Amino acid sequence: MDGIIMLKGLIFVCLIASSTARELRVKDQGSIYNHTLATILVEYAATVYVSDLTELFTWTCPRCNDLTKGFQILDLIVDVKLCLQAYVGVAPDLNAIVIAFRGTQATSIQNWIADLFWKQLDIEYPGMENAMVHHGFYSAYHNTTLRPGVLSAVKRAKELYGHIPIMVTGHSMGGAMAAFCGLDLTVNYGSWNVSVMTFGQPRIGNAAFASYYSKWVPNTIRVTHEHDIVPHLPPYYHYFPQKTYHHFPTEVWLHNLGFGLLAYTVEKVCDNSGEDPSCSRSVTGYSIKDHLWYYGVRLGGENPGFCRIVERDLAAYGTVDVDGNVILSRDIPASVLRMNVEPNEDGRLM
């Protein structure tokens, strides 16, 4: 009996000691948060949820206005089987290529499985020693019709408009795919002017992956909101720093201070660890509502349909593969952009 008590005590002491283990810190090359840009990109992350492909492709949907007015889509890619959607287009006001990935459809069983099927860091990220990622998010970008469609559109956009900036965004699962896309464009396709901004993104890899990602895509902002549950998933265990999921930096945590009429929103730029304990990790993640609202913009499907797709009068622009996936494509005159072709200090085009 005494031996059992001693064993329990030893286990308890070990758990206490492990819980105070030093957390791994991700090497961050630095990124700059811009509030105005965030309020623009969150609208792109919202519009990609639109299921009416005609309204979305022609940028006439109810969400396709305000800060995104004037945007023109080059390619709209829909993976019907897996209920995935993304678009690539040009934004004259940003003088940039914008890529947006749709997040989880609230009633899409396929997306929920991909979001909730948390196998612990089950595949290695190619070309990076010890970098482990979640296969569901990795495959959603790399092993579906989205990746070839996005890469083809980006290549065509560069041919039309030159090496203007590329901005990649997405919400929830779309944020995870946006991160993989930004890394793919930088590492495998030599794009040096890529920035990524995500909203309510889950963790997608371990600390080794986070450091690798931060090295290659330093201009990345992960926006989190109050008690949004998704950025807390899959769980982070600081007492197992080598084996746990780990966010990459830089997080910007939106949260309210004060009460009633005196309440105001704080946009806290967090540290370079990726897991700042004074940011969203300082609160419990339990809210679906906080996940669906960022900067006053609602993110998510506009109706309760199961991966609903509406397509009208787009035969001239569209192709459908053997699996029923849809790709709508067109060229836009280069005059759409106010292109800045003056070289900057290092000789690159701005």
Side-chain angles (χ1 to χ4, degrees), residues 99 101 121-126 131-143 147 150-151 168 173-189 194 196 198 201-206 209 212-213 217 220 245 248:
I99 306 170
F101 291 88
L121 298 166
D122 48 4
I123 64 170
E124 294 182 1
Y125 190 84
M132 303 291 291
V133 296
H134 180 253
H135 81 282
F137 295 136
Y138 177 89
S139 297
Y141 170 71
H142 281 276
N143 299 330
R147 182 175 184 248
V150 167
L151 294 177
V168 194
M173 182 176 178
M177 291 187 285
F180 281 121
C181 178
L183 185 59
D184 188 25
L185 288 170
T186 304
V187 174
N188 298 319
Y189 292 91
V194 175
V196 174
T198 67
Q201 176 203 314
R203 296 183 179 97
I204 59 176
N206 63 358
F209 172 79
Y212 177 64
Y213 177 92
V217 197
T220 293
Y245 282 91
F248 48 75

Side-chain angles (χ1 to χ4, degrees), residues 11-24:
I11 293 173
F12 177 77
V13 169
C14 289
L15 287 173
I16 294 296
S18 64
S19 69
T20 59
R22 184 177 181 181
E23 298 184 40
L24 290 182

Side-chain angles (χ1 to χ4, degrees), residues 261-337:
L261 296 176
L262 299 178
Y264 61 97
T265 299
V266 174
E267 302 177 6
K268 180 176 180 178
V269 179
C270 309
D271 68 21
N272 65 353
S273 69
E275 294 288 351
D276 189 338
S278 68
C279 285
S280 64
R281 268 186 58 204
S282 67
V283 299
T284 303
Y286 62 79
S287 177
I288 297 296
K289 180 180 178 181
D290 289 345
H291 183 59
L292 296 177
W293 288 91
Y294 276 74
Y295 299 98
V297 175
R298 189 184 185 282
L299 296 130
E302 72 277 85
N303 59 64
F306 281 81
C307 197
R308 179 172 174 265
I309 294 174
V310 178
E311 181 183 352
R312 307 185 310 272
D313 304 323
L314 292 174
Y317 300 101
T319 61
V320 180
D321 66 17
V322 293
D323 295 318
N325 300 316
V326 179
I327 299 179
L328 304 175
S329 181
R330 65 178 173 184
D331 289 338
I332 303 170
S335 59
V336 167
L337 289 179

